[in-house]
Each structure stands twice: as C-alpha cells, then as structure tokens.
Amino acid sequence: MNNKEFILRLSQRMGYTASDTQRMVTNVIDQMSDGFQEGKCIAISGFGTFEIKKKLERIIVNPSTLQRMLVPPKLVLNFKPSPTWKEKVKKGGDK
C-alpha cells in the first residue's frame, strides 16, 4: 500500500476529506520526527514502540581485500511491535 492508497482508505474510514486526512497524517509523522530528534521513545498503544538506539563503533573487514575498516557510531531507529499486533501478523491478520 502506498501513501495515496493509505490516505484514501483512512479518509473513507474516518469520514474526512483526503486533504484533511493527509494533513493529519503529516502532522502525526512530524510530531514523531520531532520526538526522535529529541531522543524520545514513541509508544503507540496496540501497535508498538519506536526508539532511537546507538550503534557502537565497530571494525569490519572487506572480504575481497581483507582490509579492516572502522565504522563510526551512529543512531538507528528501532521498532518493537506490540505482542497483540505481532500475533495478528503471525496469524495473517483479522481475516
């Protein structure tokens, strides 16, 4: 499902226009993005938790040249689904 399909389905389900729905979804994503930039954890009840984790500095080896390289530390976005959502996906949804 792409963004256009998602907005269309959500607008039909909620009874708003597509443009209003697009604005609401954009606002939610913007708020989540602001929280991530502040290093906050975002928990959505019944869906899961988004959090920023720090990957430590590490050494990797290029397999073709056997040259060792240092990979600097970086921040990554991690998602942990809620147990109920995880079970729904495992069973193939609500159908």
Side-chain angles (χ1 to χ4, degrees):
M1 177 184 308
N2 63 25
N3 184 53
K4 189 175 183 178
E5 293 169 347
F6 175 71
I7 296 300
L8 182 63
R9 284 188 187 182
L10 190 59
S11 66
Q12 290 170 348
R13 193 174 207 175
M14 301 302 291
Y16 292 107
T17 65
S19 62
D20 286 343
T21 306
Q22 178 67 52
R23 273 196 301 278
M24 285 187 272
V25 169
T26 301
N27 285 334
V28 168
I29 292 171
D30 288 345
Q31 288 299 311
M32 289 175 71
S33 180
D34 292 346
F36 296 144
Q37 289 182 3
E38 294 170 8
K40 293 182 180 176
C41 178
I42 310 282
I44 301 172
S45 179
F47 184 67
T49 304
F50 295 91
E51 61 185 343
I52 301 294
K53 289 191 174 186
K54 186 175 184 177
K55 285 186 98 174
L56 299 176
E57 181 176 74
R58 64 191 193 281
I59 297 173
I60 61 169
V61 178
N62 183 331
S64 60
T65 64
L66 298 178
Q67 179 182 4
R68 296 168 63 104
M69 295 181 282
L70 185 65
V71 177
K74 64 180 177 178
L75 298 175
V76 293
L77 180 61
N78 188 39
F79 174 71
K80 182 179 179 187
S82 72
T84 55
W85 190 74
K86 201 174 188 179
E87 195 62 34
K88 281 183 182 181
V89 171
K90 196 181 288 186
K91 290 181 180 177
D94 290 334
K95 297 176 184 171

